[in-house]
Amino acid sequence: MGEQIVLRRAPFFCRRLIAVLGVENPPSPAIYLRRCRCSSSTAKAEAEKEADTADKNGKWFTLPPYTSSINGAALGKELAGRQSDTKCKTATTMTALKWVLHCCPEFPRSLVQKLFRLRQVRRLSSPDQQPQCKRVNAKEPMHIGDQIVLPITVGKFPAEKKVEHFCSEEQREFFQSIELYKDPSILVVNKPPGMPVQGGVGIKRSLDELAAKYMRYGYPEPPRLVHRLDRDCSGILVMGRTQLSATVLHAIFREKTFEASSDDAERTKRNLQKKYWALVIGCPRRAGGIISVPLGKVMVDNGKSDRITVMDDGRAQSAQCAVTEYRVIETSDKGFTWLELSPLTGRKHQLRVHCAEVLGTPILGDYRYGWQAHRNLNKQYLPEQKGGPLGFNMRNGSESDRQQPPHLHLHCREMVLPNISQALQQQASDGTFSEVENIKLFAPLPPHMQRSWDHLNS
């Protein structure tokens, strides 16, 4: 189709070129048109001739038969509790291009696309159908049992060099100390406070970079982040070990994780549940409850930075629904309170803003949203912490103040999520996951919070 459009517009461009160059007695545009057609036909004929020669000589590189693939996003929604027809929605459409890239991850995408453009990719039909080998387009869907064959010359393409990263004994002990759980699909770590989760401007080392280097454990692809924790926050961080498991986890974390009622046991088993511990300044008026206040982003400092705040108008375009369940764990006579926070939605800085602006009890060490409360704080209860592992500087508070002693006292302590590995196995075998169990994760408090707990309860 693209070649036909170019050929139709060729006479017009030829006339414009001749007018610009000022050529006297120019040849007819039809001559240029015939030359374009001749060049296009010659290139196509050479490509087909090469493919036919490879076909006759049996020089083909055959890929494995196509099997039904799982729609990770749909499966994640099912595991999160959304009711839908699983059998109809968990199968995804696989094109010929995607299947080649899936089977040959070492091939550059540009090379594979070029093979399709030159019509050098063919498909062997499944045994149930009449056996035939035909050329296939990149966007044609695959059927169960179909095989893709490529020219044998692609096997000579140099594979990507594997870079081995050697870690010291100190680093090895560090990675072993933060690992909480590992199975074929997910990797769970206890993120230390002060360590960035993801790289960026001014960040030398981040958790995702270290995991890609030292926590693959023989897998060809690095662990992938599926949710975030603030830089100064600590606790449970889940990563997907494969592209499919990461897609499933992404869908689960995207769903609103409202706590299910006691009479809906089936949905309760599939819901994601997270529990944070926080040490706040002051004491809430009530011992527990649910906070349902919309949040939004506003610009401050003449547009130089932004912050999250409570939105008075929940219908505003920037307003997002944010729901948090809380309960008081322990109250200290020194003016501090330990809270258990369960975010039922996942908004940026949701727990920090709800504690500071709704409950009126900012989290200790949160200078971004609780600076006024820290001005008169008696710091003798929480001594300054030392540097963290691997040379990380566990800097104090948030980015707005680096010299105050208390670290942010917010820790993701417990999490319950569906067994992704088991769900993928059941989905691949019989297309159901009715017996999927839950994984219960627990992360001990970081040293600075454990010292605060011991001191305030002594």
Side-chain angles (χ1 to χ4, degrees), residues 196-199 203-214:
V197 171
Q198 197 169 23
I203 297 177
K204 296 181 179 179
R205 284 186 290 184
S206 58
L207 186 58
D208 64 335
E209 176 190 354
L210 296 174
K213 290 181 178 179
Y214 306 113

Side-chain angles (χ1 to χ4, degrees), residues 394-412:
M394 301 304 184
R395 58 178 175 78
N396 307 309
S398 298
E399 54 268 29
S400 58
D401 192 318
R402 300 188 179 185
Q403 298 180 350
Q404 297 294 333
H407 294 169
L408 182 69
H409 281 57
L410 180 62
H411 176 74
C412 184

Side-chain angles (χ1 to χ4, degrees), residues 228-266:
R228 302 288 188 271
L229 287 178
D230 292 343
R231 182 174 192 161
D232 298 309
C233 183
S234 61
I236 298 173
L237 183 73
V238 182
M239 293 182 284
R241 301 189 67 187
T242 64
Q243 177 65 55
L244 179 58
S245 63
T247 303
V248 176
L249 289 168
H250 267 301
I252 293 177
F253 278 89
R254 276 197 305 266
E255 294 298 312
K256 292 183 179 180
T257 53
F258 285 95
E259 189 113 12
S261 58
S262 57
D263 57 342
D264 193 359
E266 185 65 21

